[in-house]
Amino acid sequence: MLKLQGLDHLVLRVVDLDALTRFYVDVLGCAVERRQDEIGLVQLRAGRSLIDLVPVDGKLGRMGGVAPGPEGRNMDHFCLRVEPFDAAAVRAHLAAHGVDAGAVESRYGAEGEGPSIYLADPEGNVVELKGPPGPVAPA
């Protein structure tokens, strides 16, 4: 039996690498950990995990076929754990960056029921920001 520890990384195929890098660094607080421009890969640190950005017109990206768009995505969403999770502060931060986010709601995740909010990155990938288990405080 495998004993899984958590999310290691996920890979997003992207059209505008610069816009997506700015979003994940400036808005969500990731850090660029490594670039491999020769194969078309930017790796962003998100806590213990990585978010890999692969341009669809790069060496790796071309292997995935047509670019994702409104008619279809490569995934439904991914979830980033946030702590502390101050709903009002999260919403204010996102709004300051021009990001329209959904309502803060209680949702079940890896650690149990707790507050979460959905938003979309500049290419329409859905991101869930999830707080620790517990009641949802008003935003």
Side-chain angles (χ1 to χ4, degrees):
M1 168 94 108
L2 298 175
K3 185 174 179 182
L4 302 179
Q5 300 298 311
L7 180 67
D8 182 85
H9 72 278
L10 60 89
V11 180
L12 294 176
R13 295 179 65 243
V14 305
V15 175
D16 187 338
L17 180 62
D18 291 337
L20 271 282
T21 300
R22 282 192 308 274
F23 176 82
Y24 285 98
V25 171
D26 297 343
V27 177
L28 296 185
C30 294
V32 176
E33 180 154 315
R34 196 167 91 147
R35 291 186 73 107
Q36 295 183 58
D37 293 321
E38 66 281 358
I39 61 171
L41 173 66
V42 174
Q43 294 180 294
L44 306 173
R45 174 64 55 187
R48 294 184 307 247
S49 304
L50 292 175
I51 298 172
D52 294 353
L53 303 179
V54 177
V56 295
D57 60 354
K59 182 177 179 180
L60 291 178
R62 284 190 302 270
M63 294 169 27
V66 178
E71 67 284 348
R73 299 186 308 248
N74 288 341
M75 77 173 115
D76 180 69
H77 78 280
F78 65 93
C79 181
L80 298 173
R81 177 66 159 72
V82 177
E83 192 166 355
F85 189 94
D86 177 329
V90 169
R91 292 187 67 75
H93 174 77
L94 295 172
H97 286 279
V99 177
D100 185 30
V104 176
E105 296 183 22
S106 183
R107 295 185 176 92
Y108 190 79
E111 297 176 316
E113 193 78 24
S116 95
I117 188 169
Y118 284 101
L119 56 121
D121 72 16
E123 292 191 5
N125 295 297
V126 179
V127 181
E128 178 183 1
L129 301 178
K130 181 93 170 62
V136 174

